[in-house]
Amino acid sequence: MSKSPLDPSTLTAFGNAAAGHDGVLSDSSGALVIKPCTAAEIAFYESVAASHPDLVPYLPTFMGTLQLSPEQQSTSIDTDTDTGASTPTPFTQPGETITTDSGFIQTAHGLERLHGRKLSTELHIVLENLTHGFIKPNVLDLKLGAQLWDNDAKPEKRARLDKVSAETTSGSLGFRIAGMRTFKGVKAPEVGEAIKNFVEKVDGEGGGYWVYNKMYGRSFNAENVVEGFEDFIFPGTKSQEDVERAREVLSYFLDEVKGALKVWEGKESRMYSASILLVYEGDMVAYRETKRLLAELAERQVDEEEEGDEEDEPPVRKLAEVKMIDFAHATWVPGQGPDENALRGIRSTVNILEDMLEDVEKESTSA
């Protein structure tokens, strides 16, 4: 008898996270993400579906909720009883090995976690996996807002997050790079001395990734944060094909972020520590093949519409994706106007993407 896709025994550690909390799971198909959540986040997604349909295209598809006991959560990410191998961390995929992962890093402010502590809850939200449909997804998480705490935060948390904001681009631009994951190719280089505290190399079948922790984004200021975006868009070589992919991806990113900005400007909401998630296909061979498949699919759909035929749903393949995520601290505030705290970060992202696209288009033209 086949198991349900959401049978707890089939759930595994999610492998394509760029930031966020521990404890995120994925189903056996890889199409869903199951993450510990608050009731407030579920209520927000439900309210979007019911009352704000214009926001739906800019958020992951909400599939519902799931209750998982501590035993069910732990057994799905426990040790493999056959091989004795431990399951991957949330930054790795099956078959990958990670070179360094203490879970903490020493900073000027003391010992800090590299990613968020797992929420202590049985309540889980089930969402579309935004990296499903990519062969080697490159992922960038941009945390929005200069104010990172909501009204329920305790004074010590407010003070800690205000200090982070003041010392990073959260304060100067309204966003910061919260995490990043880039495919470095079949022969991924070793992490250099200058960034060894920010990057973990992950090796697996088909090549390796560099996974950048949250301290990487905190190292930038308003003048040099574009370097982080450049590392994301050009993680390896800068051939003519790389430049052309960058032009296409940046153009798509810019259109989607502008679309989200326009919708959010008309909403009376407050969302603290929400993010923009940018994803694109990091494997150039897969990117090229996906472009061809999508073009063929578009032609076939036109023919089917003309002839009245219907075919089976094709496999999901993607070139790029942009969504807003992480609404644990989001609510509606009728009569209080738009969320300028988050909007400032979205506008700053638009400005950076516009400048990058202009530069890439110049390179593409001169090549």
Side-chain angles (χ1 to χ4, degrees), residues 18-225:
H21 291 269
D22 286 342
V24 182
L25 306 172
S26 183
D27 72 320
S28 57
S29 72
L32 303 178
V33 165
I34 301 97
K35 70 166 191 166
C37 70
T38 62
E41 184 164 21
I42 292 171
F44 186 81
Y45 272 99
E46 290 176 338
S47 69
V48 167
S51 306
H52 302 273
D54 51 347
L55 274 176
V56 170
Y58 301 103
L59 275 61
T61 303
F62 171 57
M63 304 290 190
T65 63
L66 188 66
Q67 292 281 343
L68 290 177
S69 69
E71 292 77 16
Q72 289 173 320
Q73 295 176 48
S74 62
T75 54
S76 13
I77 54 172
D78 208 344
T79 299
D80 187 318
T81 55
D82 293 326
T83 65
S86 58
T87 29
T89 72
F91 280 144
T92 64
Q93 301 181 74
E96 294 180 335
T97 57
I98 197 161
T99 54
T100 58
D101 182 18
S102 65
F104 295 86
I105 190 169
Q106 184 66 46
T107 73
H109 312 301
L111 204 61
E112 294 213 28
R113 296 180 64 87
L114 293 176
H115 28 85
R117 187 187 305 276
K118 180 180 176 181
L119 297 180
S120 179
T121 178
E122 295 185 6
L123 185 61
H124 289 64
I125 191 169
V126 184
L127 300 169
E128 163 197 12
N129 176 8
L130 299 177
T131 64
H132 185 57
F134 295 92
I135 306 302
K136 299 291 185 183
N138 285 358
V139 185
L140 176 63
D141 185 310
L142 304 176
K143 186 176 291 293
L144 296 173
Q147 180 180 323
L148 300 168
W149 45 266
D150 63 15
N151 293 334
D152 294 330
K154 295 180 179 179
E156 56 268 26
K157 183 175 182 179
R158 296 186 185 196
R160 175 172 56 83
L161 292 179
D162 282 346
K163 184 173 180 61
V164 170
S165 179
E167 295 176 349
T168 66
T169 59
S170 291
S172 56
L173 296 175
F175 82 85
R176 75 172 185 275
I177 295 174
M180 192 165 81
R181 177 183 173 97
T182 60
F183 180 62
K184 288 289 186 175
V186 176
K187 295 182 179 180
E190 297 299 323
V191 178
E193 186 71 21
I195 57 172
K196 70 175 184 178
N197 289 330
F198 301 140
V199 181
E200 296 166 334
K201 182 185 176 185
V202 180
D203 292 313
E205 184 178 351
Y209 280 88
W210 280 11
V211 180
Y212 300 71
N213 62 45
K214 68 180 183 180
M215 306 310 296
Y216 174 75
R218 295 189 190 186
S219 69
F220 292 111
N221 56 46
E223 286 68 42
N224 64 12
V225 71

Side-chain angles (χ1 to χ4, degrees), residues 244-359:
E244 180 59 21
R245 178 179 63 178
R247 185 190 64 78
E248 294 170 351
V249 168
L250 285 168
S251 179
Y252 176 81
F253 284 168
L254 182 58
D255 286 346
E256 291 297 302
V257 177
K258 279 184 173 180
L261 174 62
K262 184 175 181 180
V263 176
W264 282 112
E265 284 178 332
K267 302 295 181 182
E268 294 184 307
S269 65
R270 296 294 182 268
M271 47 185 176
Y272 301 101
S273 291
S275 291
I276 302 173
L277 198 74
L278 307 174
V279 190
Y280 74 95
E281 178 56 65
D283 183 277
M284 185 59 76
V285 174
Y287 186 88
R288 193 186 310 127
E289 177 67 7
T290 300
K291 277 185 67 175
R292 183 186 66 79
L293 290 173
L294 292 177
E296 290 179 355
L297 177 62
E299 290 180 8
R300 190 161 65 245
Q301 288 175 335
V302 171
D303 293 339
E304 289 170 5
E305 289 174 2
E306 293 175 353
E307 298 173 6
D309 296 332
E310 290 187 9
E311 291 193 4
D312 294 336
E313 193 75 17
V316 176
R317 291 291 291 270
K318 298 178 186 176
L319 292 173
E321 185 78 278
V322 178
K323 299 288 183 182
M324 301 275 293
I325 62 170
D326 295 340
F327 298 102
H329 305 283
T331 188
W332 305 105
V333 288
Q336 297 184 36
D339 185 357
E340 291 300 328
N341 181 55
L343 288 174
R344 182 183 173 210
I346 302 176
R347 293 186 186 112
S348 294
T349 302
V350 166
N351 292 337
I352 289 175
L353 293 174
E354 284 180 334
D355 290 345
M356 289 186 68
L357 180 58
E358 182 179 348
D359 290 342

